[in-house]
Amino acid sequence: MKYFRLVWSNLLRKKTRTTLTIGSFAVALFLFGLLVTIQTAFNQGVEVAGVDRLVVRNKISLIMPLPLSYEEQMLQIPGVKAVTFATWFGGYYQDPKNFFPQFAIQKETWLKMYPEFQVPKDEWSAFLADREACIVGRKTAQKYGIKVGDRIPIVASIWGGVWEFNVRGIYTGARTEDDTTQLWFRWDYLDERRQWGKGTVGWYVVRVENPDDAMAVAKAIDERFANSSWETKTDTERAFAAGFVKQMGNIKLLILVIGGVVFFTLLLVTGNTLAMSVRERTGELAVLKTLGFTDVAVLWLVLGESLLYSAQGGILGLAAVKLFTLHGDPTGGFLPLFYLPPSKMVLGLLVALATGAAAGVIPAVLAMRLRIVDALRRV
Amino acid sequence: MVRVDGKGNTGALVQVRSLDKTYQRGSQEVHVLRGLNLDVERGEFVAFMGPSGSGKTTLLNLLGGLDLPSRGSITVDGDEITHLSGPKLAAWRARHVGFVFQMYNLLPVLTAFQNVELPLLLTRLGKADRRRHVEIALDLVGLSDRLDHYPRQLSGGQEQRVSIARAVVADPTFLLCDEPTGDLDRKSAGEVMALLERLSAEFGKTILMVTHDPRAAERAGTVLHLEKGELVEGQGGS
């Protein structure tokens, strides 16, 4: 700790250079944090997917419906414990940029299927009692200032017209990562009001008796409806969510490539800055050694500088991402769970420190190996 | 008493025996020091003079454990330093040697106080004790009012006095001064030499100094001349 002032003083030697170096770290870590946030947002569905839930959709495409009659038939299949269904509404609230997911749900079975979503009992009863009722997720309610008792208009881009709903409740998630941006309303209301597609649902969600049998049950469901007009494709919820992410391309690879390029560039920039700084201070380092500082102490002094650069830049960059994500999804609903988890912040800081150490190691070793008499001769 | 014949008192503070230093310059071998002997008693103030390239700085570097001889031995206060490894030699330097350079070599990013404190960072002294030692050292060199000044805010003479305070702050066994007045005007040089003289006379510090300046050399108790890598006794100044 008593050497800290010495290391710190060296950082203040050339303030512009130090600011730019810390700035480059901050920008890189901001980018890293942002990419990780996006990746987390994409993968959140996969992370929180229930292990005992299957998603049954039309084999041709997710946008093709399935008949309502399948509910009863699926309940007959051995291993199936419960079934619910939903239909994508695809509307927006007041303005096209105010997008959040709206589902027409099976009101009797939905909450039993998703115990992670919590709605106060009285609010749920009010929802069941009102045909035009809806339940709004906490995040969306906060974002648009929606309260219980409001009557809100949703412009239906698929079904046409403006649909008005009475907000009867606000749901919350049991975990931070649970999606609370959705709006649910009653499927029977949708089916009654829509002009086409009556008697169909978007997809089914099936709870299996035993998660170990999930694949067998999925196979049985698809076999049951094989060669029908509405063939099915059944996946575990996790596989379904992962497949959805895959449609967006290989996000992980993209993040790794961009992140890798940024960090490699950063490594070169910081390494060069440090090497320049060490070269400029050859005489001073030799003086320190003359006074009795060991080679290893000098190595740590230089490495300490690099770590200080990276720690400050890292904290700045990650703090900026955190602030940025506090405003929530910047895409208008495409990434509902847009936040930087604390674990990723720690990871970011570790990455910054590792980058700092990697950038500093060569200049530090050069400083360590410096021969006093040679260096003093150059002063 | 200083001797250069290798027959000095075994209790001498510094004992140099048959010291050789050879450099390889391309394919040529350059003998800088040849079979050099030296005995310096505690409290002596010795000046080394000689033309450029005679090996004065090389000798100082060897005596300070900054470089290793090609042959021979150096014993300081009973410790033979020529066989010490890197970390041990660094620890030995921290404990026994105070260096004063021609160009002062203060760290520009540190204040006078912080520069003088540097050698004490290598000791076990606490913050308060370090402060006390630094204040005493800066007071000794007459700069107690310049504690928070950076080197750029000091004159050359003041910088050199800070560098002397840094050299003595940890109370080393001896001081090695390489052209301490080489970069100073006559007045500042006189002040620096008076200070070194005082350290020798009042505080009994052993000082080995390399200089080109005859006025500086005459302040020393003994003047030795280095010629073609060999030491020759000269005339003492004061």
Side-chain angles (χ1 to χ4, degrees), chain A residues 2 5 284 289-290 371 373, chain B residues 93 99 108 117 121 123:
Chain A
K2 56 188 175 183
R5 196 168 50 192
E284 289 174 33
K289 288 189 175 188
T290 303
R371 284 192 72 233
V373 283
Chain B
R93 276 198 305 273
F99 289 91
E117 192 188 19
L121 296 179
T123 67

Side-chain angles (χ1 to χ4, degrees), chain A residues 115-370:
Chain A
E116 61 266 38
F117 294 136
Q118 293 160 354
V119 186
K121 267 187 184 159
D122 56 329
E123 291 181 5
W124 188 250
S125 302
F127 173 71
L128 295 178
D130 179 2
R131 205 167 185 76
E132 295 181 5
C134 74
I135 300 279
V136 182
R138 184 185 52 81
K139 231 178 224 177
T140 294
Q142 279 173 350
K143 187 173 179 183
Y144 299 106
I146 297 170
K147 301 181 302 294
V148 173
D150 286 355
R151 186 163 173 84
I152 57 168
I154 301 288
V155 179
S157 41
I158 299 173
W159 313 102
V162 175
W163 294 47
E164 291 201 347
F165 298 101
N166 302 316
V167 180
R168 294 299 179 200
I170 306 289
Y171 80 83
T172 54
R175 302 161 295 185
T176 322
E177 55 269 34
D178 287 326
D179 179 8
T180 56
T181 64
Q182 304 167 10
L183 177 148
W184 310 328
F185 68 97
R186 291 168 46 163
W187 177 88
D188 51 352
Y189 177 51
L190 168 77
D191 206 47
E192 176 192 293
R193 218 183 127 172
R194 64 181 166 182
Q195 302 299 312
W196 50 275
K198 285 181 184 291
T200 63
V201 305
W203 64 90
Y204 287 95
V205 182
V206 171
R207 184 184 297 286
V208 294
E209 302 265 5
N210 183 352
D212 295 340
D213 299 335
M215 293 316 295
V217 174
K219 197 173 168 213
I221 292 172
D222 290 342
E223 279 173 1
R224 173 70 186 265
F225 303 113
N227 300 317
S228 72
S229 310
W230 312 84
E231 287 193 308
T232 60
K233 183 175 187 315
T234 307
D235 279 318
T236 59
E237 196 173 67
R238 188 173 290 260
F240 175 77
F244 197 72
V245 172
K246 219 173 173 181
Q247 287 177 3
M248 311 296 169
N250 196 334
I251 302 298
K252 211 171 226 170
L253 181 70
L254 200 67
I255 285 174
L256 283 176
V257 169
I258 296 174
V261 169
V262 169
F263 279 108
F264 186 68
T265 311
L266 187 70
L267 203 67
L268 296 179
V269 170
T270 317
N272 187 45
T273 306
L274 275 173
M276 271 164 52
S277 164
V278 168
R279 269 198 301 277
E280 283 168 10
R281 283 184 290 141
T282 302
E284 289 174 33
L285 294 169
V287 169
L288 287 177
K289 288 189 175 188
T290 303
L291 296 180
F293 283 72
T294 59
D295 292 346
V296 175
V298 170
L299 175 125
W300 277 109
L301 286 177
V302 175
L303 213 50
E305 275 179 49
S306 186
L307 290 173
L308 259 182
Y309 276 127
S310 58
Q312 290 179 88
I315 289 169
L316 265 177
L318 291 168
V321 181
K322 191 69 194 172
L323 278 176
F324 184 70
T325 56
L326 285 182
H327 296 294
D329 179 12
T331 64
F334 188 64
L335 299 169
L337 291 164
F338 192 79
Y339 77 105
L340 183 62
S343 61
K344 303 290 182 188
M345 285 188 80
V346 173
L347 174 72
L349 198 56
L350 289 176
V351 168
L353 289 175
T355 310
V361 73
I362 292 176
V365 169
L366 288 176
M368 185 182 80
R369 287 187 178 167
L370 199 68

Side-chain angles (χ1 to χ4, degrees), chain A residues 45-96:
Chain A
V46 181
E47 299 296 327
V48 300
V51 290
D52 59 349
R53 289 195 293 247
L54 302 175
V55 177
V56 185
R57 63 174 179 90
N58 191 303
K59 191 178 178 180
I60 297 168
S61 163
L62 182 61
I63 60 168
M64 299 294 287
L66 291 169
L68 184 63
S69 59
Y70 278 15
E71 182 183 15
E72 279 306 316
Q73 293 183 55
M74 274 190 271
L75 281 167
Q76 309 302 319
I77 295 171
V80 171
K81 193 177 175 186
V83 176
T84 192
F85 58 78
T87 297
W88 178 256
F89 189 66
Y92 59 83
Y93 174 60
Q94 294 175 332
D95 190 286

